[in-house]
Amino acid sequence: MYDRFKRRINYLRVSVTDRCNLRCVYCMPECGVDLMSHKDILSFEEIVEVIRFGTENGITKVRLTGGEPLVRKGIVDLVKMIAKIPGIEDLSMTTNGALLDQFAQPLANAGLKRVNISLDTVEEKTYKKITRVGDLSNVLKGIKAAQSAGLEPIKINCVIKKSPIEQDAQEVAEFCDMNDLQVRFIKEMDLETGYFDRVIGGDGGHCATCNRLRLTADGKLKPCLFDDLEFNVRELGIGTAYSKAIGLKPKAGSENTVNKFSNIGG
Ligand code: SAM
């Protein structure tokens, strides 16, 4: 599938839930956010249908995200269902890693290929301050479990304020060096004001080569993280939602006033 700017669209990021077990200061208020109603959340069968349509039309990469994907009940079964869809060359997940110790091996057995893990600091107290409720030791155990399960290469998503030379970022980089992990620095963004930047060490945020569509947990296909456009697969039908999302994918991101990072998956 190509959009009107000749960008090949082959990557679908699927948010499987808007729930999260952390409350990162740059992502979610302490009291959480208004949650989607259960009836609005796509069933596993619906998610599989949307992905299948995508793979029949050129999607080859699928990434599961959230909220926190590991808090979606039955996530291993969902991965198993998605892994069976023909045409997927890369099936990955972005997770905060807090539950990965228990899930890494079952996910690998189900067909997940690799994980990106969010980690902004390796200092326990700072980790608690950033995530409000998180425990660094759980993520560290999760990273080890992901390595043992072969969910590699493991990329570490590290949100920075301004620059990768900030102390926390430097310490995360050292930790990654020592543990055979790839680090990517993501400048803290603001969806509403449209402040975004390229991912340092990754390929996100570069509009000219953007190959992505996003599916929200309540079934809206979004052509761009920094845009209000969204097309409901239940209301429009899957095919129409895809063709509108691709046909109207903006040349570049501007601002998004209808989503939060917490429900669109970063
Ligand atoms: N819960 C999972 C996790 O923590 O990786 C997946 C969802 S989370 C929204 C996906 C990514 O978005 C994380 O790496 C997170 O750090 C990033 N993110 C959230 N809010 C952000 C913001 N304001 N600016 C930049 N990145 C952000």
Side-chain angles (χ1 to χ4, degrees), residues 17-259:
T17 179
D18 59 338
R19 271 79 172 158
C20 191
N21 46 357
L22 299 183
R23 292 283 177 275
C24 298
V25 287
Y26 48 73
C27 190
M28 231 192 225
E30 192 162 12
C31 56
V33 288
D34 289 342
L35 293 175
M36 293 169 184
S37 116
H38 276 289
K39 69 174 179 19
D40 292 334
I41 304 269
L42 294 188
S43 66
F44 287 1
E45 288 71 22
E46 287 175 304
I47 293 173
V48 165
E49 248 190 280
V50 176
I51 297 176
R52 190 186 300 279
F53 186 96
T55 57
E56 283 166 359
N57 290 280
I59 295 288
T60 57
K61 290 175 67 172
V62 175
R63 171 174 297 277
L64 305 182
T65 178
E68 169 51 39
L70 295 183
V71 304
R72 173 96 192 229
K73 211 166 148 212
I75 184 70
V76 175
D77 295 326
L78 177 60
V79 168
K80 212 178 279 175
M81 289 163 76
I82 297 172
K84 287 191 188 132
I85 301 173
I88 299 182
E89 291 163 13
D90 187 17
L91 177 57
S92 61
M93 178 182 284
T94 299
T95 168
N96 59 38
L99 296 172
L100 209 44
D101 185 29
Q102 102 195 44
F103 277 108
Q105 193 60 58
L107 286 170
N109 296 346
L112 192 75
K113 297 278 181 252
R114 59 193 183 89
V115 283
N116 284 11
I117 301 174
S118 301
L119 182 67
D120 306 331
T121 176
V122 286
E123 212 281 307
E124 224 174 296
K125 282 197 185 124
T126 316
Y127 185 80
K128 175 77 86 189
K129 220 163 125 187
I130 294 173
T131 61
R132 294 200 182 100
V133 292
D135 183 341
L136 178 65
S137 67
N138 291 337
V139 188
L140 300 183
K141 276 189 267 174
I143 292 172
K144 283 219 170 80
Q147 286 175 319
S148 304
L151 291 172
E152 290 174 306
I154 297 173
K155 295 182 185 168
I156 298 294
N157 285 351
C158 178
V159 173
I160 54 177
K161 283 273 174 221
K162 286 202 176 84
S163 136
I165 60 166
E166 288 157 17
Q167 190 180 342
D168 283 314
Q170 286 286 295
E171 289 173 7
V172 169
E174 271 168 41
F175 171 81
C176 290
D177 257 3
M178 288 185 320
N179 291 282
D180 204 17
L181 304 161
Q182 299 176 14
V183 68
R184 312 152 77 240
F185 295 109
I186 306 169
K187 277 195 206 160
E188 189 175 327
M189 306 181 213
D190 186 337
L191 288 174
E192 274 187 52
T193 65
Y195 176 71
F196 66 99
D197 215 323
R198 288 184 70 170
V199 173
I200 304 166
D203 49 15
H206 191 213
C207 300
T209 56
C210 183
N211 58 352
R212 300 162 191 202
L213 293 181
R214 292 162 195 273
L215 178 68
T216 63
D218 59 352
K220 289 158 184 162
L221 264 183
K222 291 198 64 80
C224 173
L225 178 58
F226 279 87
D227 198 287
D228 286 350
L229 280 175
E230 54 187 27
F231 303 97
N232 191 315
V233 295
R234 278 181 179 162
E235 286 167 11
L236 295 168
I238 296 172
T240 305
Y242 266 101
S243 56
K244 283 188 183 283
I246 290 174
L248 295 169
K249 187 172 166 71
K251 187 171 185 186
S254 52
E255 61 189 33
N256 182 340
T257 60
V258 296
N259 298 105

